[in-house]
Amino acid sequence: MELNRKTEANQPSPSAPAGDPRLCVQETVGYFSVLAVVLKTSNESPWTDEFDRIELSCLIESISTSNPRIEWKKITNEGPSYVYFDKKISGDLENRAMIREPATLLITNATRSDTAKYRCEVTAADDQRSFDEIVIDLVVRVKPVMPKCSVPKSVPFGKSAELSCVEDEGFPKSQYQWFKNKEEVPDDHKTSLKFFNSSYTLDADSGTLQFITVRKEDAGEYFCRAKNDAGYAECPPQQMEVYDIDVLGILMGVLVVVIVLMSITAGICCAYKRGYFSTQKQTGNNYKVPAKGDGVDYVRTEDEGDFRHKSSFVI
Ligand SMILES: *[C@@H]1O[C@H](CO)[C@@H](O)[C@H](O)[C@H]1NC(C)=O
Ligand SMILES: *[C@@H]1O[C@H](CO)[C@@H](O)[C@H](O)[C@H]1NC(C)=O
């Protein structure tokens, strides 16, 4: 019955001029609308910032059924789940969303976990093609939070150095910039006169600023900025010093000499305490006493032959 009414309503008026292109389009759409439910959207991939409102548009371009069944599903890696079912908002979006006629889903306070694909499904029992669906890809952007930055306090001249910057909250994923003395460090050092002779590489995706060989001119105050479409955040500036390796060499040399001297002194002290010298005396006694004893014995008790023997021994 309703189908007939719709058909009549879409009949071109006999009095309309035959060559009107607008009329032709209407006629075509009208012809299919009799048979099918057709959905369309005004935005297939909407985005919003966290805590803002966003509309997932699901428009019914043609339908003949007066009371179609409308459902929304959220599709994540774990599979689809109901968001709108049996004329009620359910699941994640409960109390945060509503339906705007005919089938548009309006999220009033988007959160980061709303980033997903959403499917609008309309079942129109009285249409010949009684089902249509449309998928909307929603992105809820999240501002970066303050990144964690690591800057070495002092680096020896000519050595390598790595500055790192990490931020995990931002969505889409943060990109990174480094600043030295409040001036942006360019991606390619060759593009700037100031940084021309510096040896760094800068990775905007990972946040790493790496010096292959640090120069004196690389010393300065560094900070990093994490940014995405939703905004940016920075870490506080930190000083990086570059010290001369020669000064260090001299200091090390002096230190080595001092350590050697101390070791020698300590060694001598220990040798005295452990009785190294008394051992030497003992050895001397062992050696000399029998010799003396022999000498004394020979002198006191033996005749000339023995005496000669003793003399040769002494010589
Ligand atoms: C949106 O939700 C957050 C928590 O999820 C809450 O702190 C905030 O007040 C809400 N904003 C509005 C406008 O309801
Ligand atoms: C870079 O180094 C070269 C050679 O060491 C020097 O001649 C040149 O002036 C330097 N350039 C800058 C911009 O400091």
Side-chain angles (χ1 to χ4, degrees), residues 143-193:
K143 279 190 188 122
V145 295
M146 191 177 94
K148 288 193 186 75
C149 298
S150 136
V151 177
K153 280 203 164 44
S154 63
V155 184
F157 171 84
K159 298 287 177 191
S160 64
E162 187 176 299
L163 286 69
S164 71
C165 180
V166 185
E167 189 282 326
D168 285 329
E169 298 288 312
F171 187 87
K173 204 179 167 315
S174 288
Q175 293 280 301
Y176 300 94
Q177 289 168 292
W178 275 99
F179 293 80
K180 181 195 168 195
N181 301 334
K182 300 197 171 70
E183 189 179 335
E184 188 180 349
V185 177
D187 285 351
D188 180 2
H189 58 88
K190 289 244 159 50
T191 61
S192 153
L193 204 62

Side-chain angles (χ1 to χ4, degrees), residues 283-304:
T283 318
N285 286 345
N286 287 346
Y287 200 75
K288 276 173 187 167
V289 166
K292 252 186 188 170
D294 275 1
V296 169
D297 285 348
Y298 285 135
V299 168
R300 281 184 186 164
T301 60
E302 299 300 323
D303 57 13
E304 283 177 351

Side-chain angles (χ1 to χ4, degrees), residues 43-63:
N43 191 354
E44 272 183 355
S45 42
W47 58 262
T48 184
D49 290 333
E50 199 172 31
F51 310 127
D52 275 357
R53 59 165 43 209
I54 184 70
E55 185 183 275
L56 310 192
S57 118
C58 180
L59 306 170
I60 300 177
E61 198 168 49
S62 104
I63 197 163

Side-chain angles (χ1 to χ4, degrees), residues 51 96 108-111:
F51 310 127
R96 289 197 293 125
T108 53
N109 186 359
T111 68

